[in-house]
Each structure stands twice: as C-alpha cells, then as structure tokens.
C-alpha cells in the first residue's frame, strides 16, 4: 500500500553536509508525524528528529543546532538537512512515517529501508 524510499546518504568529510530524503508513494491519503532515526554499529536505534503534521519539530540533543527536519507535503517527502557532520553521526538513517491510507481508519507507521551516512576523513 505504501512505500518509503530514502536517499541522500553517502560519504562525507567531517564538517560537511548532506540532505536525506524520504519519499512516500502508493495509496497515501495523508502523512502525519514523521521521524528520523539512526543506528550505528553496536548501538540501539535512536530518535534523531521528528516533525508533526502541524510542523512542530524536535531534535536529539546530539544533533540540535546542526540538523533540520522539514517536509514538503505536495511531494509527500520529508527531509533531514545535516550540517557540521561529525564522525559520531555515522550510522544508517531511517525514516518512520505515520501515514493514512484508504485501507484503514487511522494512520499506521511505515519504515524506510535506511540510507548509510559515513562521516570520515
């Protein structure tokens, strides 16, 4: 019914920037809250940032001031702009979106496949 496709990951030097995208397709009626998570080797998946349907945002302390989450509802896409990247930002980044379809009364959570971000000299 719904697919989330993530893109924008790659290799970047410390201090560099990347913009991740998470695009929803399929039987999408509306997208409500969306969050970006990341998981580094040997660590649990952690919440990085989230954005509500009304546009309110929140961030993990470790990325506050460096990362920005945003959304383009016309494109069914959510972005994570990552600036001043550090080696400790290296992880697989996943988006999770609460999406309403015509198949269900309420929104359901969907995960993207993940995109690798590597920050290294």
């Amino acid at each position: 019914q719904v697919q989330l496709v993530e893109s924008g990951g790659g290799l970047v030097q410390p201090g560099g920037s990347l913009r991740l995208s998470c695009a929803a397709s399929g039987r999408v009626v509306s997208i409500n809250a969306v969050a970006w998570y990341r998981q580094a080797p040997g660590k649990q998946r952690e919440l990085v940032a989230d954005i509500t349907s009304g546009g309110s945002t929140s961030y993990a302390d470790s990325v506050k001031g460096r990362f920005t989450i945003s959304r383009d509802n016309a494109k069914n896409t959510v972005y994570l702009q990552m600036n001043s990247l550090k080696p400790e930002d290296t992880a697989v980044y996943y988006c999770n979106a609460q999406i309403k379809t015509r198949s269900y009364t309420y929104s359901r959570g969907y995960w993207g496949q993940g995109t690798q971000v590597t920050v290294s000299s």
Side-chain angles (χ1 to χ4, degrees):
Q1 294 294 305
V2 173
Q3 299 81 41
L4 294 181
V5 179
E6 301 183 0
S7 61
L11 175 64
V12 66
Q13 294 195 152
S17 298
L18 287 172
R19 189 180 75 160
L20 306 183
S21 299
C22 179
S25 62
R27 310 296 289 183
V28 176
V29 174
S30 63
I31 302 175
N32 295 311
V34 180
W36 283 95
Y37 291 78
R38 68 185 181 187
Q39 187 166 23
K43 291 188 174 182
Q44 291 186 312
R45 188 171 299 185
E46 66 170 332
L47 177 64
V48 176
D50 62 73
I51 185 168
T52 69
S53 60
S56 297
T57 61
S58 62
Y59 301 90
D61 289 340
S62 59
V63 307
K64 196 171 299 181
R66 300 187 297 120
F67 290 11
T68 302
I69 187 171
S70 62
R71 61 195 298 164
D72 186 337
N73 291 331
K75 297 181 179 180
N76 285 338
T77 301
V78 175
Y79 304 97
L80 185 67
Q81 178 67 47
M82 306 185 296
N83 299 325
S84 301
L85 283 163
K86 305 174 181 179
E88 50 263 44
D89 295 319
T90 296
V92 178
Y93 284 71
Y94 302 87
C95 65
N96 178 272
Q98 300 296 313
I99 298 175
K100 176 70 171 67
T101 70
R102 290 182 175 85
S103 298
Y104 296 94
T105 302
Y106 304 106
S107 298
R108 300 179 67 197
Y110 295 85
W111 287 96
Q113 81 286 352
T115 184
Q116 176 72 50
V117 172
T118 302
V119 185
S120 176
S121 298

